[in-house]
Amino acid sequence: MAVDGTEPTQEQRLPAELRRGVVALAVLGALRTPAYGYSLQQTLAERGFAVEQGTLYPLLRRLDEQGLLESDWTIDEARPRKYYRLSARGAEMLAELTEEWSRLVRTVDRLLNPEAAPDAVPAVPQPRSDL
Amino acid sequence: VTLIDRYVAEVARRLPRGRRADIAQELRSTLLDARESRFGPTASDQDEAVLLRELGPPGRVAASYGSPEQHLIGPEWFPAFALALRIHLLSLVGVLVVGSALIVASAAPGEVAPGLARLLGGLVHYGLLAFGAVVLVFHLLERGAVRAPGAGGEWDPHTLPALPEGERVGRGEALTAVVGAAIGLILLHQFGNVDERSLGLTAPDLPTATAAGLRVVVRLWNAIVGDNLWWLSASAVLTMALYWVLLGQGRWRWYTRAAKLAVDLFGVYVAARIAQSVIAEQPALLQSGLPAEVVAIVLRVAAAAPYAVAALVVLETGVRLARAWREREASSLGRVQAAPRR
């Protein structure tokens, strides 16, 4: 929903849907360094990948529950904060997803600019169902 | 209590119990980080409202933490569903109480137990049917993607409900109990008139009613009260003492709750004694000239009264405990400070 309270149209949702597919990848990549929710959101925004709180926090929990992240509460700071970091399984998944992402980018680039990329278009890998 | 406290409590009460505390804690921590980062240490109520408006209504945020396919009725509709169920349960209890009283008062002695059993059976049957209908209606609303009231369109964080104030004792409730018990004590001892049982008004005595000054004593009442004067007085004094303490403390504690239950149970015992006294006065009632049917109803009501009082005590205790549990939980979710360790 937009800040003014109006529901976005189908067309307005398209860019968000495009980004939603890669939020998990961006989050896993950013969490090679441990971070708590708000600091992660800021980091992603500073790097040009703004994610809404309502998307980021449930995603962090899902990745945590899937064992791709590890989390711990810390009470040493101004207020209790839950820190997330990449787990061993998450690191493997990140490597796999990064490879798939690179392939996907090359493929879509070729589809979007057919004249600049004369090579045959390789098969697009099937999306994983566990994310 | 800030808007953030109220917001976190509203999101939390829509989440599954097992994940509630952890998510509420994290949400609260995040919102405080965001507030400090965007508005500095002296953020106003309006600043918090801006933050919360951007995040969206509590129902939508709670829904984002679970898959919509996993629940029959989602977080947006759950508060309305819970309210509908509460109304349904209360109406069932109301029908049970009124129906039982009517059966006890009007059925022939051998018909009371079967009548109560029929009433209970009917209530279970229709209660389950109505419960199913309520679940079905809300599930259809959920699956029909109908937005719950307040879930879509413009949302104002200032409309968030206030956090429960904990286990507070209403001043009005405590004062009423103290004053009521005091008035009861005075009336009992001023007009109970134990020693003048021969004086008074009964139905056949009306024309020859005797007044001792301004004191008018009903003989039957006098006899019943006379048998139980000190029990009634003890009940009134205990009630006064309990509510006097509560008036000073301002909130319920475990020992005042236990004392309240003890006073209530003592009240049930006194009610049973009074019922016995009324039944013992059957000859006097029959001689009083009252129609036999009326006497029979009075005796039946007297026999049922202790059970009715006991049922009320159980109901009130249950409601109080449930409210205390809910308030404690909601209050702790809104204001939680200590972090859970994993």
Side-chain angles (χ1 to χ4, degrees):
Chain A
M1 191 189 300
V3 174
D4 63 2
T6 56
E7 294 286 341
T9 64
Q10 198 70 32
E11 280 180 18
Q12 286 169 332
R13 284 198 195 109
L14 279 175
E17 283 174 14
L18 183 65
R19 292 162 66 84
R20 195 172 300 142
V22 292
V23 174
L25 176 60
V27 166
L28 288 174
L31 284 177
R32 279 178 287 212
T33 308
Y36 57 92
Y38 188 70
S39 70
L40 175 65
Q41 191 189 13
Q42 296 298 101
T43 305
L44 290 170
E46 281 163 15
R47 295 181 190 172
F49 197 89
V51 185
E52 284 182 13
Q53 283 184 30
T55 303
L56 181 61
Y57 289 92
L59 174 67
L60 284 171
R61 286 194 169 263
R62 275 201 295 280
L63 295 174
D64 194 10
E65 283 161 11
Q66 288 168 0
L68 302 178
L69 298 178
E70 288 171 350
S71 61
D72 271 307
W73 280 95
T74 174
I75 52 171
D76 305 333
E77 301 171 21
R79 62 182 62 90
R81 284 182 175 127
K82 193 175 190 180
Y83 273 81
Y84 294 91
R85 64 179 172 281
L86 204 59
S87 68
R89 198 170 149 225
E92 285 172 22
M93 178 61 67
L94 176 62
E96 211 173 303
L97 285 178
T98 306
E99 200 179 311
E100 283 186 9
W101 168 249
S102 304
R103 220 168 356 183
L104 191 64
V105 168
R106 283 198 302 274
T107 304
V108 175
D109 268 349
R110 285 181 193 124
L111 284 171
L112 296 175
N113 306 297
E115 290 160 10
D119 308 353
V121 176
V124 176
Q126 292 300 305
R128 296 181 60 94
S129 59
D130 57 347
L131 278 178
Chain B
V1 177
T2 65
L3 273 182
I4 287 179
D5 294 327
R6 288 156 59 190
Y7 186 81
V8 171
E10 273 302 292
V11 173
R13 80 187 182 93
R14 292 167 157 87
L15 293 169
R17 202 172 287 273
R19 310 169 71 198
R20 194 175 285 172
D22 197 58
I23 293 178
Q25 179 81 309
E26 188 177 25
L27 180 61
R28 182 184 163 80
S29 169
T30 302
L31 286 169
L32 293 176
D33 278 334
R35 183 184 71 177
E36 198 173 292
S37 159
R38 285 179 59 177
F39 304 109
T42 55
S44 69
D45 206 43
Q46 290 306 320
D47 296 332
E48 285 191 2
V50 169
L51 207 61
L52 299 179
R53 205 172 282 121
E54 285 174 9
L55 199 54
R60 197 151 59 85
V61 172
S64 70
Y65 279 96
S67 162
E69 286 77 28
Q70 283 174 348
H71 42 238
L72 203 60
I73 293 151
E76 282 192 11
W77 277 107
F78 189 77
F81 170 69
L83 178 66
L85 278 193
R86 238 173 269 146
I87 292 169
H88 171 51
L89 275 176
L90 275 177
S91 56
L92 283 182
V93 170
V95 171
L96 181 65
V97 170
V98 173
S100 302
L102 285 175
I103 287 171
V104 169
S106 62
E111 284 296 307
V112 172
L116 287 175
R118 273 197 301 277
L119 173 70
L120 207 59
L123 279 178
V124 169
H125 178 72
Y126 288 108
L128 285 175
L129 270 182
F131 174 74
V134 170
V135 171
L136 185 66
V137 166
F138 278 91
H139 180 65
L140 290 175
L141 287 170
E142 180 77 33
R143 285 293 165 264
V146 179
R147 304 306 297 262
E154 186 100 26
W155 177 70
D156 181 7
H158 291 100
T159 59
L160 285 166
L163 285 184
E165 286 296 323
E167 302 164 46
R168 221 172 253 275
V169 179
R171 266 186 97 74
E173 177 194 349
L175 272 173
T176 307
V178 170
V179 173
I183 291 173
L185 261 181
I186 292 167
L187 288 177
L188 276 175
H189 287 268
Q190 189 65 22
F191 296 104
N193 202 3
V194 181
D195 302 327
E196 297 176 43
R197 288 191 177 202
S198 58
L199 293 178
L201 292 170
T202 62
D205 288 343
L206 269 175
T208 55
T210 306
L214 288 176
R215 289 160 64 183
V216 178
V217 182
V218 180
R219 194 169 66 194
L220 189 61
W221 158 256
N222 198 26
I224 294 164
V225 170
D227 288 346
N228 299 287
L229 181 68
W230 296 108
W231 293 101
L232 282 164
S233 304
S235 181
V237 168
L238 286 173
T239 303
M240 271 175 66
L242 172 66
Y243 278 96
W244 188 259
V245 170
L246 286 170
L247 207 55
Q249 293 188 343
R251 57 185 60 236
W252 289 95
R253 298 178 201 281
W254 70 266
Y255 53 87
T256 44
R257 280 192 192 287
K260 172 78 169 75
L261 184 60
V263 169
D264 285 347
L265 290 176
F266 186 68
V268 173
Y269 173 70
V270 174
R273 281 187 62 94
I274 291 173
Q276 275 182 348
S277 300
V278 172
I279 292 166
E281 289 293 329
Q282 187 176 0
L285 277 168
L286 288 169
Q287 286 165 14
S288 68
L290 285 170
E293 299 80 37
V294 175
V295 173
I297 290 174
V298 169
L299 292 175
R300 225 173 276 156
V301 169
Y307 297 104
V309 174
L312 280 177
V313 167
V314 170
L315 191 68
E316 192 200 352
T317 306
V319 168
R320 277 188 191 280
L321 286 177
R323 195 184 300 156
W325 175 259
R326 222 176 34 242
E327 286 180 353
R328 185 178 166 177
E329 195 179 35
S331 184
S332 66
L333 285 169
R335 303 189 179 98
V336 68
Q337 291 296 329
R341 282 276 189 193
R342 286 189 57 182

